[in-house]
Structure formats: structure tokens, C-alpha cells
Amino acid sequence: MISNWEIVIRLILSSIIGGSIGIEREISKRPAGLRTHILVSVGSTLIMLVSKYGFENLADPARLAAQVVSGIGFLGAGTILRTGDNVKGLTTAASLWVCAGIGLAVGTGYYLGAIITTAIVLISLMSLGFLEDRVFINNYKMIEIICIERPGLIGSIGTVLGDYYITIKDIKIMNIDLGDEDDNLRIDLKIKVPTNLEMASVFETLYNIKGVTKIIYDGNQR
């Protein structure tokens, strides 16, 4: 049996490591942030401690650990959102899964593996995301739509883009004041356009949507 101080150290280290990953997710405004990652990491560490030392020689430590690995999938699934052909939250779900693994590693005293894994995860989340944006920037286009707010407007725009097999990677919606009596919206869309798609027909169809007043595509009004 390990000492009480060793138990305290493992739980605190696990919370610090899990929290460092959670902070990155929090900054990125993902559904699972600081607290969630700390809870997953510390909970996994505690389960491993109980598995290894709570039952003395009466249990196989791997049995409870295996349940953590499979059970964390339910929590990860809650962070995944699907809208049409777009799926968001896979990276956060993966970070929760690896956080559970890190917690298990700390719980069993495998500090080096836990720390190195945390470093790799943080580098992947922070640096590689920036690299992806730089490398694949030409695959995405920006379209800005000015429109008059009405029920079902966003759905109509999404339907038109979907009909042309245009994938929406990101969307931002904000109210703007154009000096009239209408409630105006500005919708910024980051989209991936199929190769050889004639965008003129897309713009024409978008303008046919009730409420759409102006379209700016890659900095040019259409």
C-alpha cells in the first residue's frame, strides 16, 4: 500500500495535468472545458488507486481501468454535435478520452508517460490547430450575408448551401444597425466549396431567399 502523501500527490498532479488540457479547450470555447477535464482526470486516477490498492490482492487492477476506457465514451459522445454533414466536438471528445488515460497513468504511478502524453496533447491542440489553418486555408472561403431577421432564415440559407454540397465549417451571427426600422443580421460563414462549383448560381439562389439583402464572398460583393 502506498503512503497517504503519495495518494495526495497523484490526485493533485492528475488535476493539474487534466486542467492544463481543459484550459486549452476552455479558451477554444468547447463544450467540455476546464472543470470537465479535471473531473475526468481525477476520477480516473481515483478509480485506478481504488483498483490497485483498495482491494489489496483481491482484484485485477486492469478490470476497473478497462471500464473507465469504455465508459468515457458516453461523456465524449455528449460533446459531439452533428448538423447536416458537419460534425463538431470530435477533438474535445478525444481530449476527454486521452485525459481519462492520463488519469489512469497517474493513478498507477506512471508519471513519465502521463507528463509526456500531456505535453503531446497540448502541442497537438494548440500548435497543430494553427498549422491546419495555415496549410488548409485555401480550402475554405468566407461568405458574409446581410439579411433581415425572420423565423427560419438560417435554416433556409443552410438548405441552399447543402443543396450545392457546400460544407459549413463555422458560422457567426450578429445583429447590425443599418439605420432602418428592420432587425438586420450579419451572418459570417466559413465554407468549403466543391471543386468546379459555379458560385454565381449559388448567389442567385441565396438572393431568392426572403430577407437576404447583400452577399459578400471573399471580400467582394456579389
Side-chain angles (χ1 to χ4, degrees):
M1 180 68 178
I2 60 175
S3 67
N4 291 337
W5 279 112
E6 181 70 15
I7 293 174
V8 172
I9 289 172
R10 291 187 186 185
L11 290 171
I12 292 176
L13 177 61
S14 180
S15 68
I16 293 173
I17 288 176
S20 64
I21 297 175
I23 288 174
E24 192 283 332
R25 295 285 83 192
E26 197 82 52
I27 293 174
S28 300
K29 295 181 173 59
R30 300 306 178 187
L34 175 63
R35 291 180 297 175
T36 304
H37 282 79
I38 289 177
L39 291 175
V40 168
S41 184
V42 172
S44 301
T45 300
L46 178 61
I47 291 173
M48 178 55 79
L49 287 170
V50 171
S51 182
K52 284 195 69 175
Y53 308 111
F55 301 106
E56 297 297 338
N57 297 322
L58 300 179
D60 177 9
R63 295 179 63 183
L64 279 179
Q67 297 305 310
V68 171
V69 174
S70 59
I72 198 65
F74 290 98
L75 184 59
T79 70
I80 300 174
L81 301 175
R82 180 181 177 90
T83 306
D85 292 331
N86 296 326
V87 179
K88 294 184 177 181
L90 290 175
T91 302
T92 301
S95 71
L96 286 174
W97 179 79
V98 76
C99 218
I102 290 170
L104 293 174
V106 174
T108 197
Y110 187 38
Y111 300 132
L112 179 61
I115 293 172
I116 295 299
T117 300
T118 301
I120 293 173
V121 169
L122 289 175
I123 291 172
S124 299
L125 291 175
M126 294 186 293
S127 301
L128 296 186
F130 174 76
L131 179 62
E132 285 180 342
D133 289 340
R134 293 295 300 272
V135 172
F136 301 109
I137 189 170
N138 293 329
N139 290 342
Y140 303 114
K141 302 292 184 181
M142 294 300 301
I143 183 170
E144 178 184 317
I145 301 175
I146 308 298
C147 48
I148 300 172
E149 185 176 8
R150 67 170 178 81
L153 175 64
I154 307 299
S156 298
I157 293 173
T159 298
V160 168
L161 296 179
D163 288 342
Y164 286 96
Y165 301 99
I166 295 173
T167 302
I168 300 174
K169 304 300 293 184
D170 192 20
I171 181 171
K172 295 179 181 178
I173 304 172
M174 60 198 79
N175 294 100
I176 57 174
D177 185 5
L178 297 180
D180 53 28
E181 297 180 354
D182 296 317
D183 294 323
N184 295 285
L185 294 177
R186 172 179 152 186
I187 305 173
D188 294 337
L189 297 156
K190 183 179 181 181
I191 59 175
K192 185 175 182 180
V193 181
T195 305
N196 300 325
L197 174 65
E198 179 53 59
M199 289 299 294
S201 59
V202 178
F203 302 140
E204 181 180 354
T205 308
L206 286 173
Y207 272 120
N208 287 332
I209 297 176
K210 181 182 178 182
V212 174
T213 59
K214 184 177 180 182
I215 298 174
I216 299 174
Y217 181 68
D218 263 8
N220 299 311
Q221 183 171 344
R222 302 293 177 169

